[in-house]
Amino acid sequence: MNKTQHYIKGTWSDGQGEGIPILDSVTGEQFTSVTTDGIDSASILQYGRDHGSVLRKMTFQERGNMIKKLALYLTKKKRAFYELSYRTGATKIDSWIDIEGGFGNLFANASLRKLFPNQSYHVEGDPIDLSRGGRFMAHHIMVPKEGIAVHINAFNFPIWGMLEKCAVNWMAGMPAVVLPAPQTAYLTEAVVREIIASGILPEGALQLISGTARDILDTVQSQDVVTFTGSALVGRTLRNHPQLTQESVPFTMEADSLNAAILGEDAVPGTPEFDLFIKEVRNEITVKSGQKCTAIRRIIVPEKLTEDVQIALGKALDKVTIGDPRLKEVRMGALVNDRQRQSVREQVAKIAETASIVYGNLNEVETIGADAQKGAFMKPILLREDHPLTNENAHVTEAFGPVSTIMPYKNLEDAITLAKMGKGSLVSSIVTNDNQIAREYAVSAATHHGRILILNRESAKQSTGHGSPLPNLIHGGPGRAGGGEEMGGMRGIKHYLQRCAIQGSPTTLTEVTGIYQANADYKEAEKHPFAYHWEDIQPGMSLKTHNRTITDGDIVNFANLTWDHFYAHTDITSLEGSIFEKRTAHGYFILAAAAGLFVYPNKGPVAANYGLEECRFLRPIYHNDTVYVRLTCKQKIERDVAGNEHPCGIVKWFVEVFDANPKEDQEPLVAVATILTMVQKKQLVFTEITDAVFEDALATLTEDSKPQWGAMTPQQMVEHLEFTYRIALGEIQDFEVATPEKVLDKVHATLYNYDKMPREYNFPLYEAGIQPPLKHVDLAFAKAELTRIRQEYLKFYKENPEATAKNAVFGELNKYEWYLMERKHLNHHFEQFNLLD
């Protein structure tokens, strides 16, 4: 029988000995085993640290794109993970949460790259002026820690639990070693095998110890980070490990908690909120067979509605079918193993010392398609605690299975008190259509919960539910829940970065941060900054404009144009007692006039105005005042291509408007703004196909030329190019576009990127990818025909610039898009035959 393996120090390996037998949760049959005997934890951690430099040196953009690529790769492999997940007792819906929820975390964290600079470290917050003259300042930077992230995970989400943590540490530039719980480590192993096989991550970025390595914390160092998901008892033990204390190692704990759901007093039977509450509670009891750290353990309801809730929940739970999770009619599978089922029974017995079991039976369960005795099946259990303010068992004991306890409250203050008696939880929810009730509960209970869901008829259709942690929100909670945070968007990534305050001059800190700091030295541009491509623009690159005198007519005309007739601009008889001395220019006119001074009129790499981020008017400008502008590159930001546009980035420009002739007691700076432009990146991938390049390539091609890929002969390639030119001319249009309509726009947009065409692609107009018979007598004649038809194509679109023609792959193309198609296509085939220098 195979063992669940480890991926450590670049190789797959078994532990020593037979190990712990792992059983199928549904059938009770052993199919693998887990052992960590013989694992050298210290060398595994050091291996990760030694190989971490590759991740650290990558920029946030590179890390994000790497994670996105991995997410796409794993999504294509997901079917096999579902088959294996059934062994954990999970239904298809349960597995979807674990598998695709995990992949969703990768996608979500990959998208965070847009919020970080295009460098390996982050610049946090705003600059801080440490001197009155602005020549000494500070800024905070955050750099990747030089250690390894150690993730100790629970059994209930073997895929999501790994990926929601690893996505974050990889984005930060830190490698990880993952220790899934032995009960379900085989599913984590399956995913790690695909990750390693993909070759997408650099070596050392991910290691796997399948099971519990009890000495894993013995050699952690100050640059490492440790996260733990599991029971509060085990978490407290790990947190007190002397090595963590001695090395001051960051430790994040996400522990089981007694999460509560509150039914608002307004949500009486017959209201949408009452029905939503019953549905939400039922789901949280039965999804993953209740084995969720976010499941609802305490059902807090108005005293007068206790019976209604109990009856309604009983009816809802009666509809839950239990059995083999592979069957479509089954709604709840098995617990992870019999040991877990016995643990749940024991915890229910503790709660039942003061509460009553009002639904379910600990020892009886009806199953579909499975043997209830061999599998770890359990019927949902509903308890009722009538004296929750005095009996604490239901507030301190968690049965980690399909178990929850109803408890009544007299008023909202009581409900808040009961919610807090759990001593800290990951999540609470309140179902109410009364926003005042929602507000009072949320503000009063927030001290004891990591997340609060307010659910009502308005939000229900789009709500992700009580038990769903989201990657852009924090996951964690105070007190019993562990006192830690995971995920949370940028917040989570910062957990793996070291914050450092950097002090110095604005000029120096501009170089350190990669962001222009006010009062730093300018880098005078040799030409207008808008004439540079994105790659050639650098923070500090600056242009000083010529002057413009603001006239009385300018102000009056702007008022009439915009209908902004504020008295300071139009009624000079009303200036007495105001801050204004004379007719005053509109602030937005100053900004518009500034744009008129710094905008480059010629077509160039600047594709579009992307917006205004901030603007301040520091003092008035009056008629007859003269201004000039200083335009300076402040920051560059990567941007994903969207639709039919060429690759481009965002450039933030710092705009300073100065009074050219200030009075002796006046500051010359009168306005500042940050504007954003979309700036095209250089095209360095493709050779521009001029007539000379085209002729040289064909001259180089001979009958003996061999392709680097594919089976085309030289003449087949030439005749294929001629065929596509005839399509572009509209001579051949009797075909259907092969690309499905739902993805056609996306495929069409790829013409605008700088990616090469894929090799070994079967042209859709050739039957089964087979080359058609040759139609010309020899290669020389074919080349001559290709040259002739290309000139005809160029002439046609010169004379008919509005013409379009259909392409079999990209759909309808206009003149410019055919140019893009020609450039990519000729580069593809000329490169295929080594015809380009």
Side-chain angles (χ1 to χ4, degrees):
M1 183 174 297
N2 293 331
K3 295 178 184 177
T4 299
Q5 289 192 308
H6 317 284
Y7 184 75
I8 50 178
K9 295 185 283 189
T11 60
W12 288 97
S13 63
D14 296 324
Q16 297 175 357
E18 294 184 4
I20 303 168
I22 302 298
L23 311 182
D24 187 304
S25 302
V26 179
T27 66
E29 298 172 348
Q30 180 181 351
F31 66 97
T32 187
S33 63
V34 170
T35 174
T36 57
D37 292 346
I39 294 293
D40 182 2
S41 297
S43 65
I44 293 169
L45 297 184
Q46 192 56 46
Y47 183 86
R49 297 184 197 110
D50 291 343
H51 287 75
S53 61
V54 178
L55 269 177
R56 289 195 300 273
K57 290 177 181 178
M58 294 172 70
T59 67
F60 281 102
Q61 315 308 320
E62 291 169 336
R63 296 176 202 142
N65 285 321
M66 173 188 74
I67 295 170
K68 181 180 179 181
K69 185 177 180 181
L70 180 62
L72 292 168
Y73 176 88
L74 290 176
T75 299
K76 295 176 182 178
K77 307 286 183 178
K78 65 183 180 182
R79 180 174 296 181
F81 304 142
Y82 275 94
E83 290 302 315
L84 201 54
S85 181
Y86 292 133
R87 288 186 178 271
T88 71
T91 64
K92 187 172 183 179
I93 292 297
D94 298 339
S95 300
W96 180 85
I97 297 169
D98 187 30
I99 297 168
E100 300 192 46
F103 301 163
N105 260 276
L106 293 177
F107 280 117
N109 278 278
S111 68
L112 292 177
R113 69 190 184 277
K114 303 168 189 175
L115 304 179
F116 288 94
N118 187 31
Q119 53 195 26
S120 61
Y121 55 94
H122 178 52
V123 181
E124 185 183 46
D126 296 321
I128 302 162
D129 186 5
L130 301 176
S131 65
R132 292 186 179 181
R135 308 307 297 178
F136 182 59
M137 61 169 295
H139 218 146
H140 290 91
I141 66 169
M142 302 189 74
V143 299
K145 291 177 179 288
E146 295 187 352
I148 185 170
V150 179
H151 299 313
I152 304 169
N153 292 338
F155 69 81
N156 51 335
F157 289 104
I159 298 176
W160 182 88
M162 170 178 66
L163 295 181
E164 62 99 356
K165 295 180 175 70
C166 285
V168 179
N169 65 249
W170 290 332
M171 268 303 294
M174 202 174 185
V177 57
V178 177
L179 288 81
Q183 299 97 311
T184 53
Y186 56 88
L187 186 49
T188 311
E189 178 210 14
V191 177
V192 173
R193 282 193 179 277
E194 289 295 348
I195 291 174
I196 300 304
S198 75
I200 293 170
L201 298 181
E203 175 54 40
L206 176 62
Q207 296 183 86
L208 173 70
I209 299 177
S210 296
T212 305
R214 300 191 181 278
D215 63 345
I216 191 68
L217 301 184
D218 291 351
T219 59
V220 292
Q221 299 176 5
S222 60
Q223 288 288 308
D224 299 333
V225 174
V226 177
T227 71
F228 169 79
T229 300
S231 76
L233 179 62
V234 175
R236 286 192 292 268
T237 301
L238 294 178
R239 175 180 276 158
N240 292 322
H241 193 290
Q243 186 71 4
L244 295 180
T245 303
Q246 181 175 326
E247 291 283 322
S248 299
V249 179
F251 181 88
T252 294
M253 175 175 164
E254 186 255 288
D256 52 20
S257 60
L258 283 301
N259 310 298
I262 289 80
L263 181 65
E265 292 179 271
D266 62 303
V268 298
T271 64
E273 283 68 35
F274 184 88
D275 295 338
L276 287 169
F277 184 81
I278 298 301
K279 181 180 179 181
E280 196 73 17
V281 173
R282 181 203 64 192
N283 288 345
E284 290 303 315
I285 290 174
T286 58
V287 169
K288 289 289 288 187
S289 298
Q291 299 169 118
K292 291 172 60 184
C293 55
T294 54
I296 294 172
R297 304 299 179 195
R298 297 176 297 149
I299 309 165
I300 302 174
V301 301
E303 193 172 48
K304 63 183 180 180
L305 300 179
T306 306
E307 289 293 333
D308 296 297
V309 170
Q310 180 180 318
I311 293 169
L313 272 176
K315 290 180 179 178
L317 291 171
D318 280 341
K319 298 177 182 178
V320 176
T321 50
I322 304 168
D324 186 342
R326 296 172 180 83
L327 300 177
K328 290 182 179 180
E329 61 267 33
V330 168
R331 293 294 175 265
M332 191 175 100
L335 275 70
V336 71
N337 55 30
D338 190 63
R339 181 178 176 183
Q340 181 62 25
R341 179 171 60 178
Q342 186 57 35
S343 173
V344 172
R345 288 169 174 164
E346 292 170 0
Q347 300 307 310
V348 170
K350 289 181 182 179
I351 300 171
E353 290 176 3
T354 59
S356 303
I357 297 178
V358 294
Y359 182 89
N361 187 301
L362 288 173
N363 299 306
E364 295 180 7
V365 57
E366 294 183 5
T367 55
I368 300 174
D371 189 323
Q373 300 306 312
K374 292 181 179 179
F377 296 100
M378 185 175 185
K379 188 175 179 65
I381 301 294
L382 198 59
L383 298 103
R384 175 167 162 174
E385 174 56 77
D386 289 326
H387 304 286
L389 289 171
T390 54
N391 296 329
E392 69 168 9
N393 283 12
H395 299 297
V396 299
T397 305
E398 181 179 31
F400 201 70
V403 179
S404 196
T405 303
I406 299 173
M407 50 187 72
Y409 71 86
K410 288 183 172 59
N411 51 48
L412 186 57
E413 185 178 350
D414 270 358
I416 294 167
T417 298
L418 291 173
K420 291 180 178 179
M421 287 178 69
K423 298 181 180 179
S425 75
L426 298 171
V427 56
S428 176
S429 58
I430 181 166
V431 183
T432 177
N433 200 39
D434 186 321
N435 289 327
Q436 291 307 308
I437 291 176
R439 178 183 183 276
E440 185 174 348
Y441 179 79
V443 174
S444 300
T447 54
H448 285 61
H449 303 95
R451 175 168 58 89
I452 294 178
L453 167 68
I454 301 168
L455 187 63
N456 60 22
R457 66 194 72 180
E458 182 181 356
S459 63
K461 288 185 178 180
Q462 294 182 314
S463 170
T464 50
H466 168 100
S468 300
L470 297 174
N472 49 348
L473 303 180
I474 65 163
H475 179 49
R480 176 179 175 131
E485 289 185 5
E486 294 177 358
M487 302 194 298
M490 289 182 72
R491 291 172 64 98
I493 294 170
K494 290 179 180 180
H495 186 60
Y496 300 91
L497 300 170
Q498 177 60 50
R499 183 180 287 104
C500 181
I502 308 296
Q503 298 169 278
S505 72
T507 301
T508 300
L509 265 61
T510 293
E511 297 301 318
V512 172
T513 62
I515 301 173
Y516 175 78
Q517 308 292 340
N519 297 316
D521 292 344
Y522 302 116
K523 300 175 183 176
E524 297 293 345
E526 294 182 2
K527 55 184 179 180
H528 196 289
F530 283 12
Y532 290 96
H533 283 86
W534 192 81
E535 295 88 344
D536 293 330
I537 299 172
Q538 298 300 323
M541 179 180 283
S542 185
L543 168 76
K544 179 182 177 182
T545 72
H546 55 275
N547 294 350
R548 172 173 177 172
T549 298
I550 309 300
T551 69
D552 194 71
D554 289 334
I555 300 172
V556 172
N557 289 336
F558 191 83
N560 291 332
L561 178 65
T562 62
W563 294 8
D564 177 355
H565 294 100
F566 185 63
Y567 77 92
H569 314 309
T570 58
D571 183 7
I572 58 174
T573 65
S574 299
L575 298 181
E576 184 177 354
S578 73
I579 64 171
F580 306 106
E581 299 173 3
K582 296 185 288 185
R583 188 187 302 278
T584 307
H586 302 70
Y588 293 112
F589 171 69
I590 296 173
L591 191 60
L597 288 170
F598 68 69
V599 165
Y600 185 61
N602 298 344
K603 183 178 180 180
V606 173
N609 183 338
Y610 201 64
L612 179 68
E613 199 165 68
E614 58 186 358
C615 181
R616 294 289 183 272
F617 304 118
L618 306 178
R619 69 172 177 84
I621 282 291
Y622 303 117
H623 66 91
N624 293 329
D625 283 349
T626 300
V627 298
Y628 69 91
V629 178
R630 173 64 76 166
L631 178 74
T632 307
C633 172
K634 182 177 181 179
Q635 187 179 5
K636 295 166 59 180
I637 301 173
E638 281 282 358
R639 177 182 179 275
D640 289 343
V641 172
N644 297 340
E645 62 182 41
H646 292 298
C648 58
I650 302 302
V651 179
K652 291 185 178 183
W653 301 94
F654 186 48
V655 177
E656 299 167 284
V657 183
F658 294 93
D659 186 339
N661 303 298
K663 295 179 181 177
E664 190 172 334
D665 60 342
Q666 288 181 323
E667 285 290 330
L669 187 63
V670 298
V672 294
T674 298
I675 66 162
L676 289 72
T677 59
M678 191 186 302
V679 182
Q680 191 172 313
K681 296 182 178 180
K682 288 181 178 178
Q683 192 290 106
L684 300 174
V685 176
F686 304 113
T687 299
E688 290 296 333
I689 306 299
T690 63
D691 287 347
V693 169
F694 182 85
E695 292 165 6
D696 287 346
L698 286 191
T700 306
L701 185 69
T702 68
E703 293 283 6
D704 296 327
S705 297
K706 302 296 181 185
Q708 295 187 77
W709 66 85
M712 271 188 172
T713 66
Q715 187 169 339
Q716 285 174 333
M717 184 270 285
V718 170
E719 293 193 10
H720 168 68
L721 293 180
E722 179 192 343
F723 183 67
T724 57
Y725 275 118
R726 293 188 183 280
I727 292 174
L729 279 165
E731 292 181 11
I732 302 172
Q733 292 284 281
D734 56 340
F735 56 83
E736 297 295 325
V737 176
T739 305
E741 183 69 28
K742 64 181 180 180
V743 296
L744 181 58
D745 286 346
K746 185 176 181 180
V747 172
H748 182 277
T750 63
L751 284 173
Y752 287 80
N753 67 31
Y754 300 155
D755 297 337
K756 294 182 178 181
M757 286 183 165
R759 298 182 177 187
E760 309 294 352
Y761 176 75
N762 291 326
F763 185 52
L765 299 187
Y766 293 163
E767 185 177 352
I770 299 172
Q771 294 291 326
L774 295 175
K775 70 175 190 176
H776 297 311
V777 293
D778 56 27
L779 177 61
F781 189 82
K783 290 197 290 185
E785 275 299 289
L786 174 60
T787 301
R788 184 189 65 78
I789 201 71
R790 179 174 182 269
Q791 290 302 316
E792 192 175 323
Y793 152 81
L794 294 174
K795 180 182 178 183
F796 173 79
Y797 278 102
K798 184 177 182 180
E799 295 175 351
N800 303 277
E802 302 300 321
T804 64
K806 181 173 57 179
N807 179 276
V809 177
F810 302 103
E812 199 75 19
L813 305 185
N814 60 30
K815 174 186 176 182
Y816 183 69
E817 289 164 342
W818 273 113
Y819 152 74
L820 296 176
M821 165 62 188
E822 180 198 28
R823 185 174 69 181
K824 278 199 174 195
H825 197 216
L826 292 187
N827 270 263
H828 174 77
H829 286 295
F830 286 176
E831 184 179 327
Q832 180 185 18
F833 281 87
N834 286 308
L835 306 180
L836 297 174
D837 292 336

